[in-house]
Amino acid sequence: MKQAGFPLGILLLFWVSYVTDFSLILLIKGGALSGTDTYQSLVNKTFGFPGYILLSVLQFLYPFIAMISYNIIAGDTLSKVFQRIPGVDPENVFIGRHFIIGLSTVTFTLPLSLYRNIAKLGKVSLISTGLTTLILGIVMARAISLGPHVPKTEDAWVFAKPNAIQAVGVMSFAFICHHNSFLVYSSLEEPTVAKWSRLIHMSIVISVFICIFFATCGYLTFTGFTQGDLFENYCRNDDLVTFGRFCYGVTVILTYPMECFVTREVIANVFFGGNLSSVFHIVVTVMVITVATLVSLLIDCLGIVLELNGVLCATPLIFIIPSACYLKLSEEPRTHSDKIMSYVMLSIGAAVMVFGFVMAITNPQDCTHGQEMFYCFPDNFSLTNTSESHIQQTTQLSIVNISIFQ
């Protein structure tokens, strides 16, 4: 919302969700037309070995970078949770982001990622979905209690902003699941295109409304001060948000293995003919997670990670490749609705990929990682029991400090 402008951002969110819905169904239709059961085999049959290699690179990079971003989120959020424990020194190395990333990797993400069957993660996904609902409730509550005390930036309500293409990249990152769609499709009982379509429609509708609520409540609270990681905006002494941070950290830890499954499958298909022995299954999993963990220890700004992964990996996986495969495989006339939509997706996807990358590099998001936001500084400021004098004090302090963030 910050990058696109709030009104245009909402419209773009609905548009990206529709395109995601359409392309996910298109992807499985392409598999049915070509007689293939993986994304890689579909592209290999459609565009040959060069297409197969290109897709393999994208299909590996997207979940791999997502794993890095999940580690960043877990380290940022859970470190602030543990700092709130009474008697704990905030500078203690055992509650720092580096130690937390390493600990969560060894104790949770690595063991879960060692499963061979993605269906084993069903209960884990259910827990993650439940925690997402709790987090949404906390964000909505703070939009009411904190929002009035955070000053609004001058361009908060303009219809559109020049960085809208970057916003499409971030939204694509949020919605993409094409890289593991065939894995999920094959895990269904009696998988059919009709059953898949119903599942996708329901999932996308739920997802877009969750995203709309998150985006609206987050942006209405912080407007132009919104960070790439929304929880970076909240004050550290807010106990309700601390609980939200804990839920958020657990959610991304539980989501991490889904991405690892895809990276491992790509490696297995490219280098091992699609099958990994028990030993190589463990070795490949450990290597992928180790490299992702090391990179996430070196990077601490989430915004640029989301943007680049969105425009370079998610955009072609959502917009370009499913459309291109369907256009080449389908024998429907060019005036057929699916083909017209595929041409539109292909053109827009190419534009978003090129211009989004240029804008992400030349005009990156601000990142105030680890810094307490200025509206958290007033003495004895309470989110749950705010007097009129405190409100005046907050407003005055905000006016004084606002120049720091311009």
Side-chain angles (χ1 to χ4, degrees):
M1 301 302 107
K2 175 186 173 182
Q3 297 287 72
F6 183 66
L8 179 61
I10 295 294
L11 295 176
L12 286 175
L13 199 54
F14 278 112
W15 179 73
V16 171
S17 67
Y18 171 75
V19 170
T20 302
D21 181 285
F22 180 83
S23 61
L24 281 167
I25 297 171
L26 206 64
L27 200 59
I28 299 302
K29 284 182 178 179
L33 288 171
S34 61
T36 55
D37 57 0
T38 68
Y39 204 165
Q40 289 168 289
S41 59
L42 166 63
V43 175
N44 189 24
K45 190 162 186 177
T46 309
F47 294 106
F49 187 71
Y52 172 79
I53 293 299
L54 175 62
L55 176 75
S56 297
V57 171
L58 292 173
Q59 205 174 8
F60 175 84
L61 282 178
Y62 171 79
F64 181 74
I65 298 174
M67 290 163 64
I68 294 171
S69 68
Y70 292 157
N71 274 338
I72 294 172
I73 293 171
D76 287 346
T77 56
L78 293 179
S79 62
K80 293 180 177 64
V81 171
F82 296 139
Q83 287 173 7
R84 295 288 294 151
I85 299 175
V88 173
D89 182 3
E91 301 300 322
N92 192 318
V93 67
F94 294 110
I95 61 169
R97 64 182 301 271
H98 294 82
F99 181 79
I100 289 173
I101 290 173
L103 182 64
S104 64
T105 298
V106 173
T107 55
F108 294 105
T109 55
L110 178 58
L112 289 173
S113 298
L114 285 172
Y115 280 123
R116 280 185 171 271
N117 187 353
I118 200 168
K120 297 269 189 180
L121 299 177
K123 292 180 180 178
V124 171
S125 298
L126 181 62
I127 295 171
S128 180
T129 304
L131 291 175
T132 300
T133 306
L134 285 174
I135 298 166
L136 178 58
I138 292 170
V139 172
M140 293 172 68
R142 282 296 172 256
I144 297 171
S145 61
L146 177 61
H149 310 306
V150 179
K152 309 307 175 190
T153 49
E154 291 182 2
D155 61 348
W157 313 118
V158 298
F159 180 81
K161 295 182 182 179
N163 295 340
I165 292 181
Q166 290 167 266
V168 172
V170 175
M171 293 172 189
S172 300
F173 178 93
F175 275 95
I176 185 174
C177 52
H178 299 60
H179 53 297
N180 56 24
S181 56
F182 279 99
L183 283 172
V184 177
Y185 177 73
S186 62
S187 72
L188 297 176
E189 293 183 7
E190 301 177 5
T192 63
V193 173
K195 182 182 286 188
W196 175 254
S197 299
R198 289 194 299 271
L199 174 67
I200 292 303
H201 293 329
M202 181 175 64
S203 300
I204 293 295
V205 167
I206 293 171
S207 297
V208 72
F209 279 105
I210 289 175
C211 285
I212 288 289
F213 280 121
F214 266 119
T216 301
C217 293
Y219 186 78
L220 291 182
T221 306
F222 304 111
T223 58
F225 302 114
T226 306
Q227 299 294 300
D229 180 352
L230 184 62
F231 273 101
E232 287 289 296
N233 279 99
Y234 295 102
C235 305
R236 295 186 184 183
N237 63 352
D238 185 340
D239 291 332
L240 180 61
V241 172
T242 296
F243 175 68
R245 287 191 176 103
F246 174 76
C247 294
Y248 188 34
V250 172
T251 297
V252 297
I253 287 172
L254 296 181
T255 306
Y256 184 106
M258 290 282 287
E259 309 300 344
C260 186
F261 265 73
V262 181
T263 59
R264 187 174 60 224
E265 183 195 37
V266 172
I267 292 173
N269 289 338
V270 173
F271 298 105
F272 299 94
N275 294 310
L276 289 173
S277 65
S278 297
V279 173
F280 277 107
H281 173 85
I282 295 172
V283 170
V284 169
T285 304
V286 171
M287 287 180 62
V288 168
I289 290 179
T290 299
V291 175
T293 302
L294 291 175
V295 174
S296 60
L297 293 175
L298 300 174
I299 301 174
D300 61 7
C301 192
L302 186 63
I304 189 66
V305 175
L306 298 181
E307 286 185 9
L308 290 177
N309 203 17
V311 296
L312 292 181
C313 299
T315 299
L317 288 172
I318 291 178
F319 293 84
I320 299 174
I321 297 176
S323 303
C325 288
Y326 184 77
L327 288 171
K328 189 167 183 180
L329 292 170
S330 176
E331 297 180 356
E332 299 286 352
R334 291 187 177 182
T335 54
H336 190 275
S337 59
D338 283 353
K339 280 206 166 182
I340 293 174
M341 184 62 185
S342 296
Y343 281 118
V344 172
M345 285 171 51
L346 192 62
S347 303
I348 294 176
V352 169
M353 187 175 178
V354 173
F355 292 108
F357 173 72
V358 172
M359 294 181 70
I361 296 299
T362 59
N363 189 23
Q365 288 191 42
D366 295 331
C367 187
T368 57
H369 170 76
Q371 299 179 20
E372 189 83 311
M373 301 301 286
F374 64 91
Y375 44 76
C376 298
F377 288 130
D379 295 334
N380 301 318
F381 179 63
S382 171
L383 298 177
T384 55
N385 185 21
T386 307
S387 66
E388 185 176 351
S389 62
H390 279 146
I391 295 175
Q392 293 172 350
Q393 186 182 18
T394 304
T395 305
Q396 292 167 358
L397 184 65
S398 301
I399 293 171
V400 171
N401 283 279
I402 197 168
S403 60
I404 299 173
F405 295 88
Q406 291 178 338

